[in-house]
Amino acid sequence: MNAPSPHPSPESFRRVADYVQSFRTRDRKLHPTAAPEDLRRAFCVALPEHPTDPSAVIEQLITAAEPGLVGNTDPSFHAWVMGSSDMTGVLADMLTSVWGQNAAIFQTSPAAAIAEEAVATWLLELLDLPRQSSVGFVTGATMASFVGLAAARSEVLRRVGHDYERDGLQTAPLVHIYLSDDAHICNEAALRYLGFGEANLVRIRSDAKGLMQPEALAIAMSLTQGPKIIIGQAGHINSGGFEDFHAISDLARRHRAWLHIDGAFGLWARILPEKDALTRGLDLADSWSVDGHKWLQIPYDSGFAIIKDAQAHRRAMDAAAGYLNVSPDDGRNPNEYNPELSRRARGFAAWAVLLARGKSGVRDLVRRHCDTAQRTAQKLSDIPGLNIDASPDLNQLVLRLTRSPGDPPDLAEKLAARINKTNSVFVKPAKWKGDTVLRLSFISNCTDAAQADLLAETIRSAWRDLRKISA
């Protein structure tokens, strides 16, 4: 018997191309329809002894995966802050896979290195951050925070005479790290990976938007000595709120502290003139983490670690070895700015998406989502029992539910389930500030006023029906 061809047939390529074109436009469920056991039956099959025809494998993959896919590429997806992979980026990502480049160092893929160089320049211009900053291309905001905080660790210890790269953490003075008690979990994860624990953390009590108050931060910083790092938030994951960066950066200067800003999605507000009051002072920080796969809609995974002090960045990340060839004529060497060596050439998709959108396209996208959040808030403002936490600063909207006698304790979960059952929108509840709230995100690629109207009407109808049942 002849073994199947190791290469997919031309028909298989056409099949995938047709599928890619139709997947975003056809009617489909916004939330997974398969139970875990169904997905296991489809995926967890015995590995065959002999090769399987690649065309059949692709068909099997589509059949197995579709019932377990989440609808985050749909404009009516509001459950989490997740982008929806712009199709220009998808095409560039397909080319990236075909080219199969390892973007480790310049010489393993000069094209990948220079694409990153171009995107880094564009990012600093778009976000109006210090132009001498260096940029690492990573998987997302967690690893971007890891890179920024690694540079912070090295630099604040160097300022007090400790060479971290030589002596490590074992004999280092205690580093105090100040952050809101409602900071995003990705920052704590990054700190843990970097060797910091609870003994290092100084949690500042947060306000209603989950943010630090500069006065409280000033008092806490005055009580400790030694190397210090501050983590601020640009776009709180629930409220969308921003810290007072002018006040916090002033404290950082006075204490010789490093200021890192978690701007996973909120950093993009900096490109809108009307959001200047929120983003003023962001450029005074030392490092910033931001996603590409959220608001920019670059295919997963894409994140950027931006560091003002390129030398500190390279000191924290650079790895050298005899086989990692370097020449004076090389361009940007990616391994100086990332924790990975072998890695995907993420710069190609980022380059394609940014070039396709242009400056005005990025501004229009961010503005449209902020406007959509505002429109939804207005349309929900008159519903008894549904309380808008605050007028949205950005693209996040939080609804708190007022319980009546006889209401179930899981009222928010029941409301979300009733909304999702319509399959017209997709939402999720969240636990925040001691309550279960309905948290709405507006960030999917094509989300606009039409989705605001549909979402508001679906919530209104589901709430009315749920209240009738509860009554």
Side-chain angles (χ1 to χ4, degrees):
M1 185 175 69
N2 293 330
S5 168
H7 302 293
S9 66
E11 290 76 17
S12 291
F13 282 99
R14 285 191 288 272
R15 163 75 171 106
V16 172
D18 290 343
Y19 180 84
V20 168
Q21 285 185 301
S22 66
F23 179 74
R24 300 287 179 92
T25 57
R26 59 186 167 87
D27 289 337
R28 54 193 173 86
K29 298 289 187 182
L30 296 181
H31 49 89
T33 59
E37 56 268 24
D38 299 323
L39 293 170
R40 290 191 185 101
R41 276 194 294 271
F43 279 107
C44 301
V45 296
L47 183 65
E49 182 66 34
H50 301 291
T52 303
D53 177 58
S55 302
V57 170
I58 294 301
E59 293 298 334
Q60 190 172 345
L61 174 60
I62 291 172
T63 301
E66 273 204 346
L69 299 179
V70 173
N72 57 290
T73 58
D74 192 279
S76 290
F77 181 88
H78 305 285
W80 298 287
V81 189
M82 292 166 59
S84 50
S85 296
D86 180 279
M87 288 304 291
T88 301
V90 170
L91 294 175
D93 218 28
M94 292 169 70
L95 288 173
T96 301
S97 293
V98 168
W99 292 332
Q101 300 292 283
N102 180 353
I105 60 175
F106 175 83
Q107 293 192 25
T108 58
S109 182
I114 300 302
E116 289 187 3
E117 190 175 301
V119 172
T121 300
W122 292 347
L123 288 172
L124 296 177
E125 182 182 1
L126 273 171
L127 295 168
D128 194 19
L129 295 177
R131 302 305 194 267
Q132 80 274 14
S133 302
S134 51
V135 181
F137 288 64
V138 293
T139 56
T142 301
M143 289 312 296
S145 290
F146 172 87
V147 174
L149 293 169
R153 178 185 64 183
S154 174
E155 177 59 19
V156 298
L157 287 172
R158 187 195 66 80
R159 291 173 185 173
V160 295
H162 183 86
D163 186 336
Y164 171 79
E165 284 68 35
R166 185 189 65 201
D167 299 326
L169 272 180
Q170 298 299 324
T171 59
L174 184 68
V175 179
H176 287 100
I177 302 166
Y178 305 84
L179 72 170
S180 164
D181 62 8
D182 201 16
H184 195 282
I185 189 63
C186 78
N187 298 293
E188 295 192 32
L191 291 168
R192 189 168 65 249
Y193 307 153
L194 289 165
F196 296 119
E198 282 296 325
N200 300 98
L201 304 186
V202 182
R203 301 178 191 273
I204 309 300
R205 186 175 179 180
S206 58
D207 64 11
K209 290 191 174 183
L211 308 172
M212 293 185 289
Q213 293 303 291
E215 298 82 4
L217 177 61
I219 293 170
M221 295 187 77
S222 70
L223 298 176
T224 58
Q225 301 296 319
K228 299 174 182 180
I229 298 169
I230 307 170
I231 301 175
Q233 298 179 88
H236 185 278
I237 191 64
N238 289 320
S239 71
F242 286 63
E243 313 272 15
D244 181 343
F245 294 114
H246 266 297
I248 292 175
S249 64
D250 183 60
L251 285 170
R253 282 194 302 274
R254 278 193 270 153
H255 289 266
R256 299 186 72 210
W258 180 289
L259 174 56
H260 173 76
I261 293 180
D262 170 11
F265 62 98
L267 197 61
W268 290 107
R270 191 163 167 80
I271 69 174
L272 299 182
E274 63 267 30
K275 298 296 182 184
D276 179 67
L278 287 178
T279 65
R280 198 176 299 137
L282 269 170
D283 56 313
L284 301 174
D286 297 289
S287 59
W288 305 262
S289 54
V290 63
D291 278 313
H293 52 227
K294 288 189 171 76
W295 235 329
L296 275 191
Q297 315 294 324
I298 297 169
Y300 276 84
D301 46 29
S302 172
F304 309 108
I306 306 173
I307 317 295
K308 185 184 294 182
D309 184 343
Q311 184 177 353
H313 192 171
R314 287 192 295 269
R315 190 167 63 241
M317 289 290 115
D318 191 19
Y323 71 95
L324 297 176
N325 308 92
V326 178
S327 166
D329 298 328
D330 287 351
R332 164 194 171 93
N333 225 14
N335 77 312
E336 295 179 355
Y337 307 106
N338 303 281
E340 306 151 301
L341 189 57
S342 295
R343 65 185 183 89
R344 185 173 183 78
R346 299 187 185 98
F348 291 138
W351 185 90
V353 169
L354 281 170
L355 192 64
R357 287 197 181 274
K359 297 176 186 176
S360 66
V362 178
R363 281 195 297 269
D364 291 346
L365 182 68
V366 175
R367 180 176 288 122
R368 171 161 45 86
H369 289 146
C370 294
D371 291 347
T372 305
Q374 285 283 355
R375 183 182 180 96
T376 305
Q378 291 165 5
K379 287 185 169 291
L380 294 174
S381 62
D382 64 341
I383 302 177
L386 281 184
N387 307 303
I388 297 170
D389 223 37
S391 179
D393 289 329
L394 212 58
N395 66 319
Q396 298 294 96
L397 181 60
V398 171
L399 298 178
R400 292 189 185 272
L401 283 56
T402 301
R403 290 185 175 83
S404 295
D407 279 341
D410 55 347
L411 190 61
E413 289 91 340
K414 288 189 181 303
L415 176 60
R418 185 167 287 271
I419 292 168
N420 290 337
K421 193 174 181 180
T422 67
N423 198 47
S424 58
V425 298
F426 187 7
V427 302
K428 282 287 185 180
K431 295 187 184 302
W432 190 43
K433 297 288 185 182
D435 199 3
T436 302
V437 300
L438 196 62
R439 192 192 68 146
L440 307 174
S441 300
F442 301 84
I443 203 165
S444 191
N445 203 8
C446 297
T447 300
D448 58 16
Q451 272 70 47
D453 296 347
L454 174 62
L455 176 62
E457 183 51 40
T458 305
I459 291 174
R460 183 184 296 271
S461 177
W463 180 243
R464 182 176 59 241
D465 292 345
L466 185 62
R467 266 294 153 92
K468 286 178 183 177
I469 293 172
S470 296

